[in-house]
CSV table of all heavy atoms in Angstrom, one decimal:
chain,number,residue,atom,x,y,z
A,256,ASP,N,21.9,18.0,8.2
A,256,ASP,CA,23.0,17.5,8.9
A,256,ASP,C,23.1,16.0,8.7
A,256,ASP,O,22.3,15.1,9.1
A,256,ASP,CB,22.9,17.6,10.5
A,256,ASP,CG,24.1,17.3,11.2
A,256,ASP,OD1,24.9,16.4,10.7
A,256,ASP,OD2,24.3,17.6,12.4
A,257,VAL,N,24.0,15.5,7.7
A,257,VAL,CA,24.0,14.2,7.3
A,257,VAL,C,24.4,13.2,8.5
A,257,VAL,O,23.8,12.1,8.7
A,257,VAL,CB,25.2,14.0,6.2
A,257,VAL,CG1,25.2,12.6,5.9
A,257,VAL,CG2,25.0,14.9,5.1
A,258,ARG,N,25.1,13.7,9.4
A,258,ARG,CA,25.4,12.9,10.7
A,258,ARG,C,24.1,12.6,11.3
A,258,ARG,O,23.8,11.2,11.8
A,258,ARG,CB,26.4,13.5,11.4
A,258,ARG,CG,27.1,12.6,12.6
A,258,ARG,CD,28.0,13.4,13.4
A,258,ARG,NE,29.2,13.8,12.5
A,258,ARG,CZ,30.3,13.2,12.3
A,258,ARG,NH1,30.4,11.9,13.0
A,258,ARG,NH2,31.1,13.6,11.7
A,259,LEU,N,23.3,13.5,11.6
A,259,LEU,CA,22.0,13.3,12.2
A,259,LEU,C,21.0,12.6,11.5
A,259,LEU,O,20.5,11.5,12.0
A,259,LEU,CB,21.4,14.6,12.6
A,259,LEU,CG,20.1,14.7,13.2
A,259,LEU,CD1,20.0,14.2,14.6
A,259,LEU,CD2,19.4,16.1,13.2
A,260,VAL,N,20.9,12.8,10.2
A,260,VAL,CA,20.0,12.2,9.4
A,260,VAL,C,20.2,10.7,9.1
A,260,VAL,O,19.3,9.7,9.3
A,260,VAL,CB,19.8,12.8,7.9
A,260,VAL,CG1,19.0,12.0,7.0
A,260,VAL,CG2,19.4,14.3,8.2
A,261,MET,N,21.7,10.3,8.9
A,261,MET,CA,21.8,9.0,8.7
A,261,MET,C,22.2,8.2,9.9
A,261,MET,O,21.9,6.9,9.8
A,261,MET,CB,23.1,9.0,7.6
A,261,MET,CG,22.8,9.7,6.4
A,261,MET,SD,21.4,9.0,5.3
A,261,MET,CE,22.0,7.4,5.1
A,262,ARG,N,22.7,8.7,10.9
A,262,ARG,CA,23.1,7.9,12.0
A,262,ARG,C,22.2,7.9,13.2
A,262,ARG,O,22.2,6.9,13.9
A,262,ARG,CB,24.5,8.5,12.5
A,262,ARG,CG,25.6,8.3,11.6
A,262,ARG,CD,26.9,8.8,12.2
A,262,ARG,NE,28.0,8.2,11.3
A,262,ARG,CZ,29.4,8.4,11.6
A,262,ARG,NH1,29.7,9.0,12.6
A,262,ARG,NH2,30.3,8.0,10.8
A,263,LEU,N,21.2,8.7,13.3
A,263,LEU,CA,20.3,8.7,14.4
A,263,LEU,C,19.4,7.4,14.2
A,263,LEU,O,19.2,6.7,15.2
A,263,LEU,CB,19.4,9.9,14.5
A,263,LEU,CG,18.5,10.0,15.7
A,263,LEU,CD1,19.3,9.8,17.0
A,263,LEU,CD2,17.7,11.2,15.7
A,264,PRO,N,18.8,7.2,13.1
A,264,PRO,CA,18.1,5.9,12.9
A,264,PRO,C,18.9,4.7,13.2
A,264,PRO,O,18.3,3.7,13.9
A,264,PRO,CB,17.7,5.9,11.5
A,264,PRO,CG,17.6,7.4,11.0
A,264,PRO,CD,18.8,8.0,11.8
A,265,THR,N,20.1,4.6,12.8
A,265,THR,CA,21.0,3.5,13.2
A,265,THR,C,21.2,3.4,14.7
A,265,THR,O,21.1,2.3,15.3
A,265,THR,CB,22.3,3.6,12.5
A,265,THR,OG1,22.1,3.7,11.1
A,265,THR,CG2,23.2,2.4,12.8
A,266,PHE,N,21.4,4.5,15.3
A,266,PHE,CA,21.7,4.6,16.8
A,266,PHE,C,20.4,4.0,17.6
A,266,PHE,O,20.5,3.0,18.3
A,266,PHE,CB,21.9,5.8,17.2
A,266,PHE,CG,22.3,6.0,18.8
A,266,PHE,CD1,23.6,5.7,19.2
A,266,PHE,CD2,21.3,6.4,19.5
A,266,PHE,CE1,23.8,5.8,20.6
A,266,PHE,CE2,21.6,6.5,20.9
A,266,PHE,CZ,22.8,6.3,21.4
A,267,VAL,N,19.3,4.5,17.1
A,267,VAL,CA,18.0,4.0,17.8
A,267,VAL,C,17.8,2.5,17.5
A,267,VAL,O,17.5,1.7,18.4
A,267,VAL,CB,16.8,4.7,17.3
A,267,VAL,CG1,15.5,4.2,17.8
A,267,VAL,CG2,17.0,6.3,17.7
A,268,ALA,N,18.0,2.0,16.2
A,268,ALA,CA,17.8,0.7,15.9
A,268,ALA,C,18.8,-0.3,16.6
A,268,ALA,O,18.3,-1.3,17.2
A,268,ALA,CB,17.9,0.4,14.4
A,269,SER,N,20.0,0.2,16.7
A,269,SER,CA,21.0,-0.6,17.5
A,269,SER,C,20.7,-0.6,19.0
A,269,SER,O,20.8,-1.7,19.7
A,269,SER,CB,22.3,-0.1,17.2
A,269,SER,OG,22.7,1.3,17.9
A,270,ALA,N,20.2,0.5,19.5
A,270,ALA,CA,19.8,0.6,21.0
A,270,ALA,C,18.8,-0.5,21.3
A,270,ALA,O,18.9,-1.3,22.2
A,270,ALA,CB,19.6,1.9,21.3
A,271,VAL,N,17.7,-0.4,20.5
A,271,VAL,CA,16.6,-1.2,20.7
A,271,VAL,C,17.0,-2.6,20.4
A,271,VAL,O,16.5,-3.6,21.1
A,271,VAL,CB,15.4,-0.8,19.8
A,271,VAL,CG1,14.2,-1.9,19.7
A,271,VAL,CG2,14.9,0.6,20.1
A,272,GLY,N,17.7,-3.0,19.3
A,272,GLY,CA,18.1,-4.2,19.0
A,272,GLY,C,19.0,-4.9,19.9
A,272,GLY,O,18.8,-6.1,20.5
Side-chain angles (χ1 to χ4, degrees):
D256 184 339
V257 183
R258 193 179 297 272
L259 173 69
V260 172
M261 299 303 296
R262 289 189 171 179
L263 184 59
T265 303
F266 181 81
V267 172
S269 67
V271 172

